[in-house]
Amino acid sequence: MNRREGEGCPRRNADAALDRDASDNPSSPVIAAFKVFQQELDTKHDKYERLVKISRDVTIESKRTIFLLHRVTSVPNAEDILNEAEVKLDAVRQKIGQIAEELRGEDIFQFHRAFTPGIQEYVEAVSFLHYIRHRSLISLEEINARLVFMKTEKVDPKGSAEDLQPGGQVLTFQVTPSDYLLGVADLTGELMRMCISSVGNGDIDTPFQLSQFLRQIHDGFSYIGNTGPYEVSKKLHTLRQSLGKVEDACYALRVRGSEIPKHMLADVFSSRTTHMDPEEGVV
């Protein structure tokens, strides 16, 4: 049976009716209201896309900082590497300042998915640097304390000297507890790689320090359990794998370290980790 003209998709018919209404009566209050809604949605979409781009830049620069920090196990003077990493993180913070500017006056949770990957990567990088310097875990309060930015106000050049306002507006960005936990969970993978590098360079002390530190992080995540965000519980398995590999390295060093040359320890450790059961967890 042939459908008469006008019959078909209800959505298409509704859009066509709305277009006819807009052309017939452009001053309709309904059309005016929908134009306002369209402008609001377009504005939010544009802001969301800008946040995604900034977050991508934060992710890239944070990853580069992490790659740089892995060199501390193979250089004689690690302080130069740490200072360079600090400079890179300062540039990342400026990017986060742009996120804070975009979120000024907005509900952060409406745009959280746009920038959370970059913030997690930043937490991973800054916590990695903090651990190398202090052999401890940086707190959420310490991270947020460094995310305070001064926004300079634009002054009309034609204005008088009395119109100049000293200083500017203070902007703050607060890392959410879930982003902090997810960043710390990713940190455990970098610490496991640091353990491999340390063993390869003949450092037999760092793996035992890392093992104790990762065990404390694992106990903390186990305490949270299923009460935390879903993403945190998903990363708990990866955390257990990292801890298991580090503890396996410590076992190999303690039992066979004296009989294996230092330059061969990394090869032995790598061969042992590749034969581990991928589903094996840590009790």
Side-chain angles (χ1 to χ4, degrees):
M1 178 183 296
N2 295 329
R3 292 186 177 182
R4 291 177 298 176
E5 183 179 0
E7 294 182 352
C9 178
R11 174 66 179 275
R12 186 182 307 167
N13 293 339
D15 292 341
L18 187 60
D19 292 338
R20 288 196 302 270
D21 191 9
S23 59
D24 295 341
N25 187 12
S27 61
S28 169
V30 176
I31 299 302
F34 271 88
K35 286 183 177 179
V36 174
F37 299 153
Q38 179 185 12
Q39 184 177 5
E40 292 179 356
L41 290 175
D42 289 343
T43 301
K44 287 186 178 296
H45 177 75
D46 293 341
K47 185 183 291 289
Y48 191 94
E49 291 301 319
R50 290 195 300 269
L51 288 171
V52 169
K53 293 178 181 178
I54 300 173
S55 174
R56 189 179 298 116
D57 293 338
V58 171
T59 300
I60 293 173
E61 294 302 321
S62 298
K63 285 183 178 295
R64 289 174 178 172
T65 304
I66 293 172
F67 296 153
L68 174 65
L69 289 172
H70 277 295
R71 293 172 51 193
V72 298
T73 59
S74 59
V75 296
N77 186 8
E79 192 62 30
D80 294 339
I81 299 295
L82 299 180
N83 292 335
E84 184 179 353
E86 192 63 59
V87 172
K88 287 182 175 293
L89 287 178
D90 285 337
V92 174
R93 294 186 189 98
Q94 298 305 314
K95 292 288 185 181
I96 298 178
Q98 297 179 20
I99 296 178
E101 173 67 22
E102 291 285 351
L103 294 176
R104 182 166 55 172
E106 299 283 355
D107 182 6
I108 183 176
F109 293 103
Q110 288 188 1
F111 303 94
H112 183 249
R113 290 178 63 88
F115 59 84
T116 180
I119 299 303
Q120 293 176 29
E121 200 71 33
Y122 168 74
V123 171
E124 181 181 356
V126 73
S127 58
F128 192 24
L129 173 61
H130 187 273
Y131 175 80
I132 295 174
R133 283 191 180 276
H134 306 288
R135 289 297 190 267
S136 62
L137 180 64
I138 191 172
S139 65
L140 177 60
E141 292 74 16
E142 291 177 282
I143 293 178
N144 286 332
R146 306 194 67 177
L147 297 178
V148 180
F149 312 96
M150 181 65 68
K151 176 64 176 179
T152 57
E153 297 294 340
K154 295 182 179 179
V155 181
D156 186 2
K158 298 181 181 179
S160 61
E162 289 78 6
D163 295 334
L164 297 178
Q165 298 294 331
Q169 184 178 8
V170 177
L171 294 177
T172 59
F173 183 89
Q174 298 294 304
V175 177
T176 62
S178 61
D179 286 343
Y180 171 74
L181 291 175
L182 292 171
V184 172
D186 292 334
L187 168 67
T188 59
E190 304 304 330
L191 295 179
M192 184 268 295
R193 296 179 183 90
M194 181 180 178
C195 175
I196 297 176
S197 300
S198 300
V199 173
N201 293 319
D203 182 1
I204 61 175
D205 296 326
T206 298
F208 292 97
Q209 297 174 358
L210 290 172
S211 175
Q212 183 179 4
F213 181 69
L214 288 175
R215 171 59 69 176
Q216 293 173 352
I217 294 180
H218 173 267
D219 293 343
F221 274 88
S222 299
Y223 179 78
I224 296 175
N226 295 328
T227 61
Y230 172 68
E231 295 84 357
V232 175
S233 60
K234 282 203 315 183
K235 291 193 176 185
L236 183 58
H237 175 69
T238 304
L239 191 157
R240 287 173 173 169
Q241 283 187 320
S242 299
L243 174 59
K245 291 178 181 179
V246 173
E247 289 186 337
D248 193 72
C250 294
Y251 171 82
L253 291 173
R254 184 70 71 185
V255 175
R256 302 186 58 195
S258 59
E259 64 186 39
I260 302 176
K262 289 186 176 182
H263 66 279
M264 296 180 58
L265 285 174
D267 296 334
V268 175
F269 170 55
S270 299
S271 63
R272 288 175 62 87
T273 55
T274 53
H275 289 88
M276 286 182 63
D277 183 359
E279 299 298 328
E280 181 181 356
V282 180
V283 181

